[in-house]
Amino acid sequence: MSKFSRAIVRAVPRTLEGGITTAQLGKPDYDLACEQHARYVAALRELGLQVEVLEADDRFPDSVFVEDPAVVTERCALITRPGAATRRGEATAVAAALEPLYGKLERIEEPGTLEGGDVLQIGERFFVGVSARTNRAGAEQLARILANYDYHAELVPLRHFLHLKTGVSHVGGGKLLLAGELADCPQFAACDRWLVPHEETYCANAIQVNGTVMLPLGYPRTRRHIEETGRPVVELAMSEFQKVDGGLSCLSLRIP
Ligand code: CIR
């Protein structure tokens, strides 16, 4: 499994409450969101990552969700073309941060749309959600780009989840957390799976950083299960990002 050495995050914009959302959880509180974000950054640093914090950009309410405008791998990085048109301008600052690390960046081109939240890497394999945000053209472009770098990618059609990683996470060693419509997805049937209980669906979006699993705070059954497998867990309060449909993975680009 890749070790991560760096992460890119982006500071919370003052306009966060204008972010796209389907959650009916009220408006996010800017100050509390900043606190939760600072704790997230500190947790990444405690796990050994060098974290670059990009400046906030109030023109883009969703720009804290830095995972969506790019996809990063060991061998290449690419700039996406978000299905949410209001998010397309977010890529400029992210590209500027990635260029010094990768040199040439690949790009998803029109008519393709793709958001990084739809891209799950497990070793040499990638799974790409075809969602309301990522269309088939975008997913197929990504698969072709990845094939040039000797990766294999396959498409996973979604019906309800915002993004693929809303409902599936790889927590290391081939183990997946799966929720909702992905629980019986044939592409994951042969994996070591934890089926996230319905009331804990939000924590199916977790991340693994160098052996530690970061989970949103308040999902005890999943937490207990992961700890029983011997993986250390760090819990993080995510309430303000959840109000605008964001999860743990969306808040960073983790770079191997
Ligand atoms: C959006 O709807 O685009 C944002 N409010 C939330 C993006 C969450 N990103 C992710 O799951 N990768």
Side-chain angles (χ1 to χ4, degrees):
M1 193 185 3
S2 302
K3 246 182 110 66
F4 296 108
S5 56
R6 294 170 175 269
I8 294 174
V9 303
R10 192 160 193 182
V12 183
R14 289 202 164 266
T15 51
L16 178 67
E17 67 169 46
I20 306 167
T21 191
T22 55
Q24 294 178 333
L25 297 170
K27 295 264 178 221
D29 178 90
Y30 170 76
D31 292 324
L32 184 53
C34 289
E35 254 175 58
Q36 293 180 347
H37 195 259
R39 183 67 200 100
Y40 179 92
V41 170
L44 292 178
R45 289 189 171 134
E46 281 157 21
L47 295 172
L49 301 198
Q50 187 182 323
V51 183
E52 181 176 358
V53 184
L54 306 183
E55 253 180 57
D57 189 335
D58 293 345
R59 293 173 302 164
F60 302 112
D62 283 309
S63 52
V64 71
F65 302 120
V66 75
E67 171 178 71
D68 293 315
V71 174
V72 294
T73 78
E74 297 86 343
R75 301 173 198 159
C76 61
L78 68 101
I79 298 302
T80 68
R81 184 169 177 272
T86 55
R87 301 200 56 189
R88 298 218 175 120
E90 295 174 23
T92 311
V94 175
L98 290 174
E99 253 159 19
L101 303 177
Y102 284 92
K104 176 177 169 250
L105 302 177
E106 304 284 351
R107 283 184 187 266
I108 299 297
E109 308 286 355
E110 204 177 349
T113 65
L114 183 94
E115 297 190 359
D118 274 316
V119 183
L120 173 71
Q121 179 175 10
I122 307 177
E124 303 272 304
R125 295 172 75 193
F126 284 79
F127 296 89
V128 189
V130 178
S131 65
R133 300 290 183 84
T134 293
N135 64 17
R136 191 160 281 273
E140 285 172 352
Q141 280 181 41
L142 175 65
R144 282 195 295 275
I145 292 168
L146 291 173
N148 291 336
Y149 292 90
D150 295 325
Y151 289 119
H152 172 78
E154 46 192 281
L155 276 45
V156 183
L158 293 174
R159 281 168 293 147
H160 307 297
F161 280 136
L162 171 62
H163 290 125
L164 180 68
K165 283 185 287 190
T166 310
V168 55
S169 305
H170 178 218
V171 294
K175 185 171 196 80
L176 302 184
L177 310 184
L178 287 159
E181 66 182 282
L182 292 172
D184 53 7
C185 175
Q187 281 145 301
F188 301 126
C191 300
D192 175 8
R193 302 175 307 158
W194 164 250
L195 301 183
V196 173
H198 178 71
E199 71 279 8
E200 297 199 349
T201 298
Y202 179 69
C203 82
N205 181 277
I207 57 178
Q208 178 279 127
V209 178
N210 301 341
T212 294
V213 178
M214 290 166 69
L215 271 189
L217 179 66
Y219 299 92
R221 290 176 66 187
T222 300
R223 178 187 177 138
R224 201 173 320 117
H225 174 76
I226 294 174
E227 285 176 338
E228 279 167 7
T229 69
R231 294 167 172 88
V233 171
V234 171
E235 282 187 322
L236 290 165
M238 286 290 293
S239 61
E240 302 317 289
F241 301 109
Q242 187 175 11
K243 290 174 181 172
V244 275
D245 285 351
L248 278 172
S249 76
C250 334
L251 289 179
S252 60
L253 283 165
R254 296 158 306 280
I255 301 177

